[in-house]
Amino acid sequence: MRVGVTNLRVKYAGASELLFNDLTLHIEKGEKVLLLGPSGCGKSTLLQVLSGLIPAAVPVPMKVEEKMIPESTGYVFQDPDAQFCMPYVDEEMAFVLENRAIPRSEMKGLINTYLDKVGLHFDDPHVEIATLSQGMKQRLAIASVLSLEPDVLYLDEPTALLDPEGTKDVWETIKKIDDDQTMVIVEHKVDHVIDFVDRVVLFDDSGTILADSDPETILSFYKHKMKEFGIWYPGIWKEHEHGLKRETKNALSVMTIEDLKGFKGKKCLVELPEAVIHEGEWIVITGENGAGKSSLLLSIMQVLKTTGDVHVDGKALHSIKEAREKLAFVFQNPEFQFVTNSVYDELAYSMSEDVQNRVTTWLQNYELLNHQHQHPYQLSTGQKRKLSVGTALFGNQRILLLDEPTFGQDAKNTFKLLEYFEDLRSKGITIMMVTHDPNIVETYATREWIISKGRRVSDRNVNRGEEAVVHAVDS
Ligand SMILES: Nc1ncnc2c1ncn2[C@@H]1O[C@H](COP(=O)(O)OP(=O)(O)OP(=O)(O)O)[C@@H](O)[C@H]1O
Ligand SMILES: [Mg+2]
């Protein structure tokens, strides 16, 4: 069946302008369509309208002349952990099949059929979901929506939180789904999907369609538009002109770690026997999903229960409060970080001087001025992320801990943030950043730590661009 809207207008409460001004889009049965556009242009909103979530489950004022919404839809979200109702794989699958009134006798066979479609093979599918990798969880989420036999499958950045391995697995899985399955896809990591889709719909930042054509045409004729609006396209990193600054020589050590272990209950999640970290270093922390990267940052921040020592400027950290005075922290999930009810207040919260001026300048620079009165939860994924980074950077701390600060960001904001971090770094700020993006490691890091199974398995200086790295020396 076809799915689509004619002359759609959406007006979020509190928003000053319409999102979509008479947007018309129709998708034919079996088509694979990629929606591409800058952060906040309305991609997620449109997916929710096309799947009927808006307004049925999420009441948002909208006007539409005509709409064709399929009866049965499957929706895969970013966060693998937020999509399951049951603790075990077989129970999760059975839960969906029960809703379809499938008789018990057929269930076992069907569960295996759908798990097979996504390449998940268990001797016995009574496996705890919590023990699966993030990539496997995301494939399970896809198996569970496929078991709904959906007319249309909607995917909203299904790999945003996954490591490169998981990302590859999930896209390979999606590519093997039946040819006649209609799919509407939102994905910033275009390299993985561009060859798979039949059609790309390109949006500008106000949600107006700039182009709607096959991928070759879009990439051949609309690259300048993608560049103008800061949308990812293949090869963009090669064109990115970064302003790397000179290394700081004889850098002072700012943090030392000894015998650090971070626990959840009695279980040790991560350990780091020793580390000396210097002014002006940009340490990138990589490793597969579940390796312990976030746990390491949370241990340094004293959020987890820890043993061992973290010293900053010669002072031992014993509590979150002490850690926060010395270390600025950006959580992996931006929502954990928000403490006020508006974008403006969120930024103003940790400031004492020249507040209005500084906040307004930042909002303008990061294109959030129109959203200053909105609740932080009402922002798009990319906008939330920008805000969480912004709030962390307004303190006077000299060390920044960032947990995947660029996931779900469009190209424009990614490069803007990275250049901002580089500028801070060149002034002596120290950056410790978890990321899955090998381009960031190659271009910006001065040092890379690889974490595997809760331990640091590699610590190396990185040769940034053409610059020679001067090894940091204690003085
Ligand atoms: N509940 C809400 N209330 C008010 N405004 C909202 C709400 N949800 C989204 N918006 C606004 O609607 C616009 C479109 O948001 P949407 O989440 O659809 O963008 P997106 O294209 O998916 O962005 P991203 O790439 O960052 O995920 C944004 O400007 C956002 O701030
Ligand atoms: Mg979105």
Side-chain angles (χ1 to χ4, degrees):
M1 78 162 266
R2 291 177 85 205
V3 47
V5 285
T6 306
N7 292 337
L8 170 72
R9 294 175 176 203
V10 173
K11 177 88 166 62
Y12 277 113
S16 50
E17 280 161 41
L18 283 178
L19 177 63
F20 307 128
N21 202 347
D22 290 337
L23 178 107
T24 298
L25 180 68
H26 289 98
I27 293 162
E28 301 296 330
K29 181 165 172 38
E31 267 191 314
K32 320 267 183 288
V33 182
L34 173 66
L35 309 183
L36 213 51
S39 183
C41 75
K43 302 176 297 294
S44 298
T45 305
L46 185 57
L47 274 198
Q48 290 174 56
V49 171
L50 292 174
S51 65
L53 278 179
I54 293 180
V58 187
V60 174
M62 59 178 259
K63 219 182 103 195
V64 64
E65 216 167 276
E66 194 194 357
K67 61 175 175 176
M68 279 178 287
I69 308 298
E71 235 162 70
S72 157
T73 60
Y75 209 108
V76 180
F77 298 89
Q78 275 182 352
D79 188 351
D81 290 313
Q83 313 191 59
F84 304 112
C85 307
M86 308 298 276
Y88 290 92
V89 170
D90 55 343
E91 291 174 358
E92 179 66 28
M93 295 298 297
F95 178 77
V96 179
L97 293 171
E98 262 163 30
N99 281 337
R100 268 181 62 200
I102 301 286
R104 286 218 154 250
S105 56
E106 291 172 28
M107 244 182 226
K108 207 168 163 196
L110 274 179
I111 289 176
N112 285 330
T113 307
Y114 290 113
L115 289 177
D116 204 45
K117 282 192 191 214
V118 299
L120 288 178
H121 306 290
F122 305 103
D123 291 337
D124 172 4
H126 191 65
V127 172
E128 241 186 298
I129 295 175
T131 64
L132 304 180
S133 72
Q134 298 302 91
M136 287 166 93
K137 283 185 201 162
Q138 209 54 321
R139 279 146 71 197
L140 175 63
I142 295 169
S144 115
V145 301
L146 287 179
S147 74
L148 290 164
E149 294 289 334
D151 294 321
V152 182
L153 183 58
Y154 299 91
L155 301 154
D156 194 354
E157 298 190 55
T159 66
L161 297 169
L162 302 189
D163 58 29
E165 193 66 24
T167 300
K168 205 169 122 252
D169 286 350
V170 166
W171 278 114
E172 271 170 14
T173 302
I174 294 168
K175 287 173 190 175
K176 283 190 202 130
I177 296 173
D178 305 342
D179 234 15
D180 59 359
Q181 176 70 59
T182 316
M183 291 188 205
V184 192
I185 301 167
V186 175
E187 178 61 278
H188 282 298
K189 301 178 190 171
V190 279
D191 295 29
H192 292 275
V193 267
I194 199 84
D195 295 333
F196 166 64
V197 295
D198 311 304
R199 189 173 154 197
V200 178
V201 184
L202 195 64
F203 294 87
D204 72 5
D205 43 19
S206 68
T208 303
I209 295 179
L210 290 169
D212 180 349
S213 194
D214 59 279
E216 296 77 48
T217 307
I218 297 285
L219 289 181
S220 313
F221 296 103
Y222 290 92
K223 235 185 198 165
H224 64 291
K225 285 287 173 201
M226 293 161 88
K227 212 171 195 160
E228 179 184 340
F229 288 99
I231 301 165
W232 290 112
Y233 53 84
I236 188 171
W237 267 95
K238 288 201 190 78
E239 295 170 19
H240 169 57
E241 287 171 23
H242 45 75
L244 291 188
K245 310 285 190 326
R246 289 275 132 212
E247 290 298 311
T248 339
K249 286 186 190 175
N250 297 323
L252 293 168
S253 79
V254 285
M255 171 152 64
T256 56
I257 293 174
E258 262 175 76
D259 285 331
L260 180 67
K261 286 187 178 155
F263 295 87
K264 188 165 195 179
K266 289 215 166 67
K267 192 174 169 214
C268 177
L269 300 181
V270 70
E271 59 178 89
L272 184 56
E274 66 81 28
V276 181
I277 295 144
H278 304 84
E279 227 174 37
E281 281 198 279
W282 183 326
I283 300 178
V284 159
I285 302 168
T286 62
E288 54 197 30
N289 283 122
K293 305 178 296 297
S294 297
S295 302
L296 178 59
L297 293 191
L298 292 170
S299 303
I300 295 172
M301 278 309 288
Q302 310 295 312
V303 173
L304 292 185
K305 203 173 93 219
T306 62
T307 58
D309 290 312
V310 179
H311 279 82
V312 178
D313 297 334
K315 188 175 173 292
L317 303 182
H318 301 291
S319 64
I320 301 178
K321 188 165 169 286
E322 284 176 0
R324 285 185 53 139
E325 276 167 27
K326 297 284 184 189
L327 313 169
F329 186 58
V330 176
F331 283 86
Q332 182 164 24
N333 182 344
E335 297 192 358
F336 288 167
Q337 206 166 320
F338 300 139
V339 289
T340 71
N341 293 320
S342 84
V343 171
Y344 183 96
D345 291 345
E346 201 58 40
L347 288 161
Y349 184 73
S350 58
M351 268 189 242
S352 50
E353 289 159 30
D354 198 18
V355 178
Q356 193 178 0
N357 206 357
R358 284 169 68 199
V359 171
T360 309
T361 309
W362 191 93
L363 287 168
Q364 220 150 20
N365 197 11
Y366 284 92
E367 291 166 12
L368 284 175
L369 200 56
N370 283 338
H371 302 277
Q372 59 174 320
H373 303 302
Q374 240 164 275
H375 194 286
Y377 280 37
Q378 295 175 334
L379 297 174
S380 80
T381 307
Q383 291 166 339
K384 277 182 197 151
R385 181 78 338 207
K386 271 196 284 188
L387 180 63
S388 70
V389 173
T391 54
L393 293 178
F394 273 128
N396 289 318
Q397 299 95 329
R398 306 276 300 160
I399 302 174
L400 304 179
L401 308 188
L402 304 155
D403 200 345
E404 294 196 52
T406 60
F407 92 74
Q409 287 285 5
D410 59 20
K412 181 173 55 187
N413 289 313
T414 300
F415 291 133
K416 210 181 233 178
L417 284 172
L418 291 170
E419 288 298 310
Y420 185 36
F421 297 151
E422 171 58 13
D423 189 47
L424 293 171
R425 191 204 64 78
S426 72
K427 293 176 179 138
I429 301 285
T430 303
I431 295 168
M432 298 178 80
M433 174 193 280
V434 173
T435 182
H436 288 301
D437 189 343
N439 291 303
I440 296 181
V441 183
E442 214 173 287
T443 312
Y444 288 97
T446 64
R447 193 169 165 192
E448 181 187 26
W449 290 358
I450 303 176
I451 307 293
S452 174
K453 301 195 174 87
R455 288 160 188 270
R456 187 176 65 182
V457 293
S458 160
D459 173 10
R460 66 174 184 113
N461 285 316
V462 181
N463 225 348
R464 306 165 100 210
E466 285 126 24
E467 246 185 315
V469 171
V470 178
H471 286 255
V473 175
D474 277 310
S475 61

